[in-house]
Amino acid sequence: MWPVLSDVNPNGLVLSRGIEESHVNCLFFAKPFADMIVFTDIDDMLLSPNPMDVGAGSNIAILQNLFAEHPQAGSFLFEHRDVQFVLPEDNGNEHKLANFNFDFLTHTHWKSSCKVWRMKTRVAVNASRVDSVNMHETGIHRFGFVQVRVPCRQAHFYHLRHSYKDVGVNEWPIEMTKLSNMLNEFVIKS
């Protein structure tokens, strides 16, 4: 079924078609040369609960520490948290890719709080211990290995897409300046 013009969000109709198959294909393609594989969106970032702890390789360190803490883990499920995504004011400059930077993150001051509830997750796997991934969860683990749900207070993916203006009781304050500076430095080097 294809979306029609009246559909506000066609994701419910077409998004999941083929995603699980592509995840399994990716897993088997990368198994020969990858120790870890993360299945996530391009607008998600694995960070500690305090983004001021970010640094080069900090997301890899999170995964390595979790696998050391859970030696029988084949995979980890991470929650993802929406952040208050505030775009810069349009000051009349041309919007060119060459002018892109991450300064907008300094205006991002809130994210949704952690709570125990069933939600879509992001998956990180030890490639040698897992044989399938079912979109937001792991499928088949090799004998003796298990799926571990990581508490949001330990680490989670920041979902840098959603925006909201009202700050209510379900938000945590965050400071994103260090992440903004680090990403801007990477863009300049590229």
Side-chain angles (χ1 to χ4, degrees):
M1 185 172 180
W2 292 99
V4 293
L5 293 178
S6 63
D7 290 331
V8 175
N9 183 357
N11 287 344
L13 299 174
V14 299
L15 178 64
S16 64
R17 308 281 197 273
I19 289 180
E20 290 183 13
E21 293 85 353
S22 66
H23 284 178
V24 173
N25 285 342
C26 174
L27 175 64
F28 277 91
F29 173 80
K31 269 180 180 267
F33 57 85
D35 292 329
M36 290 185 281
I37 303 171
V38 177
F39 298 90
T40 188
D41 291 348
I42 196 167
D43 58 354
D44 289 343
M45 295 185 77
L46 176 60
L47 299 171
S48 72
N50 180 1
M52 293 302 283
D53 294 338
V54 71
S58 58
N59 50 0
I60 300 299
I62 289 170
L63 292 170
Q64 289 172 331
N65 290 338
L66 285 169
F67 276 111
E69 183 181 336
H70 302 277
Q72 294 308 114
S75 64
F76 292 103
L77 297 183
F78 293 90
E79 293 184 14
H80 70 129
R81 293 282 149 210
D82 294 341
V83 299
Q84 181 190 36
F85 192 68
V86 181
L87 293 174
E89 295 293 324
D90 185 5
N91 58 8
N93 291 339
E94 283 188 58
H95 295 285
K96 293 183 177 179
L97 188 56
N99 297 333
F100 179 79
N101 61 54
F102 289 92
D103 291 345
F104 62 87
L105 287 174
T106 61
H107 302 291
T108 301
H109 300 294
W110 303 95
K111 68 176 176 172
S112 56
S113 65
C114 293
K115 52 186 169 272
V116 178
W117 63 309
R118 180 86 174 141
M119 67 174 301
K120 291 181 180 177
T121 56
R122 301 302 181 232
V123 180
V125 305
N126 177 317
S128 66
R129 299 176 178 182
V130 172
D131 285 330
S132 71
V133 177
N134 300 332
M135 196 179 296
H136 296 293
E137 295 196 30
T138 318
I140 301 169
H141 284 79
R142 297 277 171 109
F143 183 72
F145 298 108
V146 297
Q147 174 176 274
V148 176
R149 184 175 285 272
V150 178
C152 184
R153 67 184 182 283
Q154 193 171 359
H156 52 268
F157 278 83
Y158 286 61
H159 195 206
L160 301 175
R161 179 185 344 152
H162 291 276
S163 62
Y164 54 91
K165 294 181 182 178
D166 298 327
V167 176
V169 295
N170 291 327
E171 285 78 32
W172 278 5
I174 57 172
E175 169 58 58
M176 304 288 272
T177 305
K178 188 173 179 183
L179 178 62
S180 172
N181 293 339
M182 187 179 85
L183 292 172
N184 279 336
E185 185 177 318
F186 177 76
V187 169
I188 290 170
K189 288 180 182 178
S190 299

